Amino acid sequence: MRLRLFAAAASVLMLTGCATLPEGAVDASPLVCPPGTEGCDPIQPVGPGGTIAMDMGNFFFDVTDASAVTGAVEVTVVNVSDAYHNAQFLGAADGSDIPEADGNQTGVGTVLLFPGEWTVICTVPGHRAAGMETVITVYATPEEARAAGEASGAPSGM
Ligand SMILES: [Cu+2]
């Protein structure tokens, strides 16, 4: 038993021992891209976009229209409660809005989204934990969005 432990420890040492840095790597620093420099602009989704609409309240999101295709997506949030709420798409591309609305108001924001499944939360402390989290799918093409809408029987809005 003692011998086996020693062997395991030795192999860990050997593994870490192999991770020697190449000469000069210690002095290397991350590439800095001055904004606006060619080839250094943030990667943005390209596509027709589309719309997402959802009700939000204490403490839920209820998605009423999700026919979004990658690109600049117009997100409408209808606040059906008395309190402020918002809808942040976690990981959305640089330049995205966080759609928000005061109590009993409607807000609109543009969110830049790649295809995929997006987690949406309310950023007011405690609201996500209380239930304000949902997942919305953004499709790669209008055809894909339409097919998904037909498959689910939900109106695609397109
Ligand atoms: Cu909220």
Side-chain angles (χ1 to χ4, degrees):
M1 193 59 176
R2 185 174 284 245
L3 188 64
R4 197 178 296 169
L5 274 174
F6 174 76
S11 65
V12 167
L13 280 175
M14 281 170 63
L15 280 174
T16 54
C18 286
T20 51
L21 291 168
E23 207 170 317
V26 177
D27 300 324
S29 58
L31 178 67
V32 176
C33 278
T37 307
E38 192 178 348
C40 285
D41 295 327
I43 298 169
Q44 297 288 340
V46 175
T51 56
I52 291 172
M54 58 183 127
D55 295 345
M56 55 185 189
N58 303 331
F59 294 93
F60 63 88
F61 289 114
D62 181 13
V63 179
T64 54
D65 170 28
S67 53
V69 176
T70 183
V73 178
E74 187 182 276
V75 179
T76 302
V77 287
V78 180
N79 192 340
V80 297
S81 75
D82 292 333
Y84 168 91
H85 295 292
N86 61 32
Q88 181 177 27
F89 286 65
L90 298 180
D94 288 355
S96 293
D97 294 333
I98 299 176
E100 61 181 349
D102 286 328
N104 299 305
Q105 303 291 310
T106 296
V108 179
T110 301
V111 186
L112 308 173
L113 296 169
F114 289 96
E117 297 205 325
W118 295 90
T119 297
V120 181
I121 66 163
C122 178
T123 66
V124 177
H127 287 202
R128 181 188 191 177
M132 295 196 73
E133 176 176 333
T134 191
V135 175
I136 293 179
T137 301
V138 172
Y139 298 97
T141 64
E143 292 73 27
E144 196 180 297
R146 216 165 8 243
E150 285 165 8
S152 71
S156 72
M158 300 180 77

